[in-house]
Amino acid sequence: MHWSDEIAERIIKKKPDKAEYVCAAGISPSGSIHIGNFRDIATAYFVCKAIERKGKKARLLFSWDELDRLRKIPVNVSKVNSDMEKYIGFPYVDVPNPFNEGEGTYASYFEEEFLESIKDFHIEMDFKYQAEMYRSGKYTKHILTAMEKRKEIFDILDSFRTQDAEEGEREAYYPASIYCPECGKDTTKILSYDDETKIAEYQCECGHTGTFDFANNYNCKLAWKIDWAMRWMYEGVDFEPGGKDHASPGGSYDTSKVICKKIYDWDAPEFQGYEFIGIKGSTGKMSGSSGLNMTPSTLLQFYQPEVILWLYSKCEPTKAFDFCFDDGILRQYFEFDKQYNAYKDGTANDFVKVIMENCLHETSDIKTVPMSLLVQLGSIVDFNVPMMETVFEKIDQPYKYEEFKERLNLAKAWLEICAPENANKLRTTRDWELYESLNEEQKKEIELLHKYLSEEEYDLDTLNSELYAIPKQIYGENAEGLKKLQGAFFKNVYKLLIAKEKGPRLYLFLYAIDKERYLNLLDFSTPKTEEELRPVVEEQAEKEKKPKVEYGEPDEVQPVRDQVTIDQFETMDLRVCKVLKCQEIRKSHSCYKITVFDGLKERVIVSSLKQYYEPEELIGKKIIVIANLEPVRITGVQSNGMLLAATNNACGCQVVFIDDIVPEGTRIC
């Protein structure tokens, strides 16, 4: 049984006669709503659908917690408006829009951004805006209940704490906070409360003092765990998911569950904790500064909406999974297509049926053209639609544009943004340097391939056979290490054609493309052209112009420095960063301006590597950076950190590189 059906059964069993079940989700508009938050909605949505499959009525309630306080300023906000710190402590709904002054609020900007991004999911939700709910007085009765029973609430909260309460803490506790009418912040402290008049005296950090009538003034908010419990009762919530932090023993849900029953005489809803979502294979381009925040809109550049919902549906909430910005996305599409096709032709089992029903809507009509093929072939023909159709015809998979148009742009965007190294573009000139480095047997292989492609008629199968046969002609049918020799031949062909050691299946690549586009790249029977000679001349001139680094005897080995404690060492933030750019600095003879991605954001580091490395030798590499070093200005550029390198008279300055498998942001410990 699917996990959503199991939850639905528990809900219905509790209240079998309820006319309509309420599944709730909620998010604070603290910034761009990311894909981790989206699991809150997806989990509640699937449970709603499971209840409906059982013949019951269900409603998905979504709360915007816009009366929550602004706690910190997101990076993408501070970059466009450096003056936002003054609003910390304000409710989101009262903070001005940082992007479009005078147009809505901070809360409405991020709410609208999110609502626009989820239209393609076709998820119907009943929206509640908590600022309106509080400030219209709808919750007043229940806030007064909390104020009246404040000591009982304190005892409940205290029962979940590991430390004993301090003397006088219980008497000074109040379950609500007041937003100051002078400064607008929640930096107030209630000094006293009269249970008869419902009036509190308070003082704000800004210096303002005043009284607040809880019966008639509404600019206040219950503390989170009381607020959650109160809203369960108010809305009649039957199910609500939450992150694993809320689900931990003694966490928010356990606490609010007791408050809900003891203070509001209401049974807490069925609850499901969920794991957080990961990102696999993200690059430096996937950062806030590029506009690619980890939001549903980001994912929809590469994923069809049904595939996104499918990933949430097939994975139990308690298990983590990754959205893939590497080639893992191609495997995900393959698995989705397999299950979707089984669902459509009636061969899917009950579990897969539910997975697919959760992620499909009435107008879903997925054309399962393999994403891997679209990426491979699209990169060869520059995503030219007529050429794509021709290629598909050639490989006996005659897909038409109407069938692959939805996925074509997704494949193109993924390739260009996430995997530019996978793009297969033919060289413009012959690679004489590589060819001249080959031995006579390897040169003969290239000659035979060129001859075969130029003179023979072939189909896909015969071409594939010939590619494996050419090394046999050179080395013999039973040559030792034949597979390795065939692999080396394939690698040489790839390098001569696309300047990479591997690419799409070679026989498919050679068959799909008009051979007149690449035959000249395999023909070394004619002299070098002027264009082919030019790079060699320019490169030689550049080498002669650049001063040669002189190395000498190794430096004397220095004694070990004074010992440091583990605590002192742990104050250093050494982390893996990826080099995105390496630029020369005007008037600097030795320094580069190096832009790296540190897992959270981009940063600039100035380093004197110019005489040891060309920019292309650094770009794309992963290095170790001291990330919490105090910034300094070097050659007029602010440097935010220092990269690790070994410097010795015997080798000059050698950067410490890290294997590409290690994700950006990984700490070195």
Side-chain angles (χ1 to χ4, degrees), residues 10 71 90 140 236 295 311 476 556 598 659:
R10 296 200 300 268
R71 298 182 181 278
F90 276 63
T140 296
T295 64
L311 284 165
E556 182 181 343
D598 65 12
D659 195 291

Side-chain angles (χ1 to χ4, degrees), residues 566-583:
I566 189 66
D567 290 338
Q568 288 173 315
F569 173 76
E570 287 181 348
T571 62
M572 295 180 64
D573 191 325
L574 296 166
R575 64 175 57 208
V576 175
C577 298
K578 185 170 185 176
V579 179
L580 305 179
K581 301 176 189 174
C582 181
Q583 301 162 292

